[in-house]
């Protein structure tokens, strides 16, 4: 066949066999489509051409073949799906460049003749195929290759199954690990939330107890004023205390005069002007004591109500004594002296 010319495949059909040997066919010029269209050609001779690799659609399109001759082509590899030529009974691969045979050969259950000599096959296929020197050895080769590929396929399936199981186990382990990590993360988040709630609760409790303690201290301080509070206000009451001291001194003066009259009855005769002085003093003391008592009563009622009651009672008593003394002086000093003289005489007689 000249270069560039197209083969008319029907011209090469003899009964049920296409003889396309010595046609200088290549990978691209092989008329697969035309060959597949004529199902009568169940035998195909492609020997002594220049085919190094079968086209992708060859196996799919030529599934009706029972005999195939690919010898002396320089084939380097056969397609993995070559075993799909399920009707194939006779296969000639003599004098090519094949190093391995596809495992799919185990599907060629009808294969009864196989020639693979003059190919650089690798171990262990090289030992399996035998010498293929005659028809009997080629039949044996077909049988041995088929059995070997079955075992090889089983081993590959086991390997694939183990790899699949290992992959599945790794996937399950990874899933469990992710679930464990997620659970740990959730537990950690839960623990942090609980600690936060506990701290917040403790903080609120501490604030409540502090507030309650402050209120209790405030209530107690309102019931009973500490001594320091009294000291704080002592400077404000200092003028009133000075008045009280002055008043006390005047009272003592009156008492001293009274005792002098009791001891020495003629004390009044020696001091004629004492009547007027004493009356004025007692009146001044009574007038001065009234606002002092009122002011003192106000301060004590504000800062020390318990102390205020006793002091005010004493102040009222002292004020009344002064008023009595003043009234006595106003009624007549001589009458007071007379009464005191009589009382002194009575005491002296009683003593003797």
């Amino acid at each position: 066949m000249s270069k560039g010319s197209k083969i008319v495949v029907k011209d090469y059909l003899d009964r049920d066999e296409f003889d396309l040997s010595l046609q200088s066919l290549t990978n691209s010029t092989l008329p697969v489509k035309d060959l597949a269209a004529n199902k009568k050609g169940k035998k195909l001779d492609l020997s002594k051409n220049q085919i190094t690799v079968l086209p992708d659609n060859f196996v799919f399109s030529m599934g009706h073949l029972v005999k195939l001759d690919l010898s002396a082509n320089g084939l380097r590899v056969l397609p993995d799906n070559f075993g799909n030529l399920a009707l194939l009974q006779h296969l000639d691969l003599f004098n090519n460049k094949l190093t391995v045979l596809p495992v799919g050969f185990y599907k060629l259950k009808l294969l009864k003749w196989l020639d693979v000599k003059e190919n650089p096959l690798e171990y262990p296929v090289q030992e399996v195929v035998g010498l293929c020197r005659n028809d009997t050895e080629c039949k044996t080769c077909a049988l041995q290759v088929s059995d070997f590929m079955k075992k090889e396929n089983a081993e590959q399936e086991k390997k694939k199954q183990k790899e699949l199981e290992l992959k599945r186990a790794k996937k399950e382990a990874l899933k469990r690990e992710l679930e464990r990590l997620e659970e740990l993360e959730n537990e950690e988040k839960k623990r942090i939330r609980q600690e936060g709630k506990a701290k917040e609760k403790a903080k609120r409790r501490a604030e409540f107890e502090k507030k309650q303690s402050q209120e209790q201290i405030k209530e107690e301080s309102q019931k009973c004023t500490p001594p320091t509070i009294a000291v704080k206000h002592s400077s404000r009451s200092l003028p009133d205390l000075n008045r009280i001291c002055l008043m006390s001194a005047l009272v003592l003066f009156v008492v001293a005069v009274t005792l002098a009259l009791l001891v020495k009855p003629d004390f009044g005769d020696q001091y004629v002007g004492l009547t007027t002085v004493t009356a004025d003093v007692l009146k001044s003391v009574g007038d001065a004591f009234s606002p002092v008592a009122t002011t003192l009563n106000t301060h004590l009622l504000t800062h020390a109500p318990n102390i205020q009651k006793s002091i005010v009672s004493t102040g009222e008593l002292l004020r009344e004594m002064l008023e009595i003394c003043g009234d006595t002086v106003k009624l007549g000093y001589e009458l007071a002296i007379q009464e005191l003289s009589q009382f002194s005489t009575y005491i002296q007689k009683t003593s003797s």
Side-chain angles (χ1 to χ4, degrees):
M1 185 186 72
S2 60
K3 190 175 180 181
S5 62
K6 186 177 181 181
I7 294 178
V8 180
V9 295
K10 65 180 181 178
D11 296 338
Y12 296 88
L13 179 62
D14 183 12
R15 296 181 180 179
D16 61 348
E17 183 177 0
F18 285 108
D19 186 2
L20 296 177
S21 61
L22 299 172
Q23 298 299 317
S24 300
L25 296 174
T26 63
N27 303 340
S28 58
T29 60
L30 183 62
V32 176
K33 187 176 180 180
D34 294 338
L35 291 170
N38 194 333
K39 301 298 181 182
K40 291 181 180 181
K42 295 182 179 181
K43 300 175 183 179
L44 177 60
D45 186 358
L46 295 173
S47 62
K48 299 175 183 175
N49 283 289
Q50 301 173 11
I51 304 170
T52 58
V53 178
L54 292 175
D56 294 337
N57 62 340
F58 182 85
V59 174
F60 177 77
S61 302
M62 307 303 292
H64 60 282
L65 293 176
V66 295
K67 182 181 178 180
L68 178 60
D69 189 351
L70 292 170
S71 60
N73 264 286
L75 282 170
R76 296 192 302 270
V77 64
L78 293 175
D80 291 336
N81 64 346
F82 193 82
N84 291 336
L85 297 172
L87 300 178
L88 198 61
Q89 300 176 17
H90 186 104
L91 177 60
D92 193 346
L93 297 173
F94 169 74
N95 192 20
N96 281 288
K97 297 180 180 180
L98 298 172
T99 57
V100 295
L101 296 178
V103 179
F105 262 63
Y106 80 94
K107 295 180 181 180
L108 301 176
K109 296 179 181 181
L110 300 179
L111 187 64
K112 296 186 174 22
W113 195 94
L114 176 61
D115 187 359
V116 289
K117 62 179 176 291
E118 299 298 331
N119 280 282
L121 292 171
E122 297 177 353
Y123 177 85
V125 179
Q126 183 182 9
E127 293 185 356
V128 173
V129 296
L131 298 177
C132 297
R133 292 172 296 186
N134 51 49
D135 188 67
T136 302
E137 289 182 353
C138 287
K139 289 180 180 179
T140 303
C141 176
L143 207 68
Q144 290 178 345
V145 169
S146 179
D147 290 340
F148 175 79
M149 291 305 175
K150 286 179 182 178
K151 294 178 181 179
E152 189 69 17
N153 178 69
E155 290 294 328
Q156 289 186 3
E157 288 297 323
K158 288 181 180 179
K159 186 177 179 180
K160 288 180 181 179
Q161 187 65 26
K162 288 182 179 179
E163 290 178 353
L164 183 62
E165 291 177 357
L166 181 61
K167 185 177 180 180
R168 188 183 295 114
K170 288 182 178 179
K171 186 177 180 180
E172 290 294 329
L174 179 61
K175 182 180 179 181
R176 289 194 298 269
E177 181 65 16
L178 291 175
E179 290 176 352
R180 187 184 69 84
L181 293 175
E182 185 178 1
E183 185 177 355
L184 290 175
E185 185 179 1
N186 292 334
E187 290 178 357
E188 182 66 15
K189 289 180 179 179
K190 183 178 179 181
R191 184 186 66 79
I192 293 174
R193 286 196 301 269
Q194 290 177 347
E195 288 182 355
K197 289 180 180 179
K199 289 181 180 179
E200 185 66 23
K201 185 177 180 181
K203 182 179 178 181
R204 290 197 302 267
R205 181 181 292 276
E207 291 177 352
F208 175 76
E209 291 178 353
K210 181 179 179 181
K211 183 178 180 180
Q212 195 175 29
S213 177
Q214 290 176 349
E215 290 178 354
Q216 185 176 0
I217 292 173
K218 185 176 180 181
E219 290 177 359
E220 292 178 355
S221 64
Q222 289 177 353
K223 292 179 181 179
C224 181
T225 305
T228 53
I229 298 177
V231 173
K232 181 178 179 181
H233 298 281
S234 61
S235 60
R236 296 170 57 185
S237 305
L238 187 60
D240 297 334
L241 292 177
N242 291 333
R243 292 184 180 183
I244 293 173
C245 292
L246 178 60
M247 178 190 68
S248 301
L250 292 174
V251 171
L252 291 175
F253 171 73
V254 173
V255 172
V257 172
T258 305
L259 291 176
L261 291 174
L262 291 174
V263 175
K264 192 174 182 180
D266 57 348
F267 179 78
D269 296 336
Q270 297 177 5
Y271 298 93
V272 178
L274 187 60
T275 301
T276 304
V277 174
T278 301
D280 292 340
V281 169
L282 290 175
K283 183 177 183 304
S284 300
V285 170
D287 294 339
F289 183 77
S290 181
V292 172
T294 302
T295 303
L296 181 62
N297 183 35
T298 303
H299 282 284
L300 291 175
L301 183 60
T302 302
H303 301 292
N306 295 330
I307 302 174
Q308 181 261 352
K309 292 180 181 180
S310 58
I311 293 180
V312 169
S313 299
T314 305
E316 291 178 352
L317 179 61
L318 184 59
R319 183 173 60 184
E320 297 213 0
M321 288 177 61
L322 290 173
E323 289 179 357
I324 293 171
C325 291
D327 293 339
T328 303
V329 172
K330 291 176 182 178
L331 289 175
Y333 185 76
E334 284 79 4
L335 182 59
I337 292 300
Q338 183 179 357
E339 293 292 332
L340 288 173
S341 297
Q342 293 177 0
F343 182 70
S344 176
T345 303
Y346 174 75
I347 290 174
Q348 289 177 358
K349 287 181 178 181
T350 304
S351 299
S352 60

